[in-house]
Amino acid sequence: MTGSPRSTLCLKVVCVDPDDDSPPTDAAAALRLIQDQRSATARRLDPDARLLYWPWGVAWLVGFGLFFLRFPPGDRALVALPSWLPLTVLFVLLVAAGATQAVVSVRAYGQVTGDSARRGQWYGYAWALGSVSVYAGLGRISEHLPHDLAALLWSATAVGLTGALHMAGGAVWLDQDLFRLGVWISVINLVGAFAGPGWHPLVVAVAGGGGMLVAGALARRRQRQRQQP
Amino acid sequence: MTELDPVIHAQARLRVVASLSALNVGDKIAFPRLQELLAMTAGNLSVHLRKLEDAGYVEISKTHRGRTPATLVGLSRRGRLAFEEYTEAIRALLDPAPSKEQP
């Protein structure tokens, strides 16, 4: 007696691992399974916080740093750089940071839809539309200002907008690292604006860029604690 | 002793529900991504998702992303509640409340 009709029928059934349906061996195994699975999923769906914070921190540190070296208070450059270099480097690094953020986010959240995706999308629109509307006004004014005041107006407004939007992001996601970074950026922007033209980029480079690097490290540490099984 | 929910109290479905519980409330994940997170075959995952859907624990919706059809999977409110109750029950088994009298 070989090849009963039952065994052929079995082949047509979708292959299900018979152990799959069995309960966990005991309560401890069940709890371990839950914790492992949740932390593994969180790890895969949460992008490394450093990849989101650090590229912006580097852009500010290097970009505004070069700007300070080329256009410090007074008339003489600290380092003889071509005058187009600082802003070019700043914009290239900012674009690179934006691209990194986009790639990292899509890889992590790309296959998740729903409320989180909508929050992210609307937050992105706030950045884009907010920037365009603010800078359009600045462009009209700054052409009538001397170079150093125009530079201060642009950078203080850009940094102020960044601080406000970081705080808003912290409120949207109840993310204290993001919110605190927003507060920090707003405060150092105030300090830089009072220090005046020439000094503002130094404050933004060191305290702003450095603050983002620190915030990224803190956010990563919190993330690791959260993801531990 | 409380009865453990038989729908969740099976290794494969417990893994599915635990994974989905890590999503934020109101979020859904694409079927292939869930399959990749769980390292299950598509057929196997479908079978377990159907059982979870029948119990009302999982919501499955089919949409289109551009021209390709996409299946999205998320925990329903009932499913999230059932998972929380299951986890509570497991914790209670491991660490019985000290106020309970020993037999």
Side-chain angles (χ1 to χ4, degrees), chain A residues 14-17 19-31 33-35 37-42 44-45 107-118 173, chain B residues 9-16 18-19 21-30 32-33 36-38 40-41 43-44 47-48 51 65 72 83 86-87 90-91 93-94:
Chain A
V14 182
C15 180
V16 178
D17 185 350
D19 288 340
D20 240 23
D21 240 349
S22 64
T25 44
D26 54 28
L31 190 62
L33 194 154
I34 290 172
Q35 287 168 340
Q37 198 63 54
R38 278 176 60 87
S39 61
T41 306
R44 301 281 290 281
L45 293 182
R107 266 176 41 191
Y109 314 119
Q111 301 292 310
V112 178
T113 50
D115 294 351
S116 302
R118 205 151 36 234
W173 286 283
Chain B
H9 194 52
Q11 291 191 40
R13 287 192 295 279
L14 181 54
R15 289 183 60 218
V16 172
S19 264
S21 77
L23 296 178
N24 290 322
V25 176
D27 280 356
K28 288 189 170 177
I29 190 167
R33 184 84 162 115
E36 179 204 319
L37 286 174
L38 293 164
M40 282 184 176
T41 64
N44 203 1
V47 168
H48 290 298
K51 285 183 186 170
R65 278 193 170 176
L72 299 171
F83 173 71
Y86 178 86
T87 310
I90 289 289
R91 280 187 201 280
L93 281 176
L94 286 172

Side-chain angles (χ1 to χ4, degrees), chain A residues 129-153:
Chain A
L129 192 58
S131 305
V132 169
S133 79
V134 164
Y135 298 149
L138 284 194
R140 300 291 302 272
I141 301 166
S142 65
E143 57 193 78
H144 303 294
L145 289 176
H147 177 270
D148 60 339
L149 280 180
L152 177 64
L153 181 67

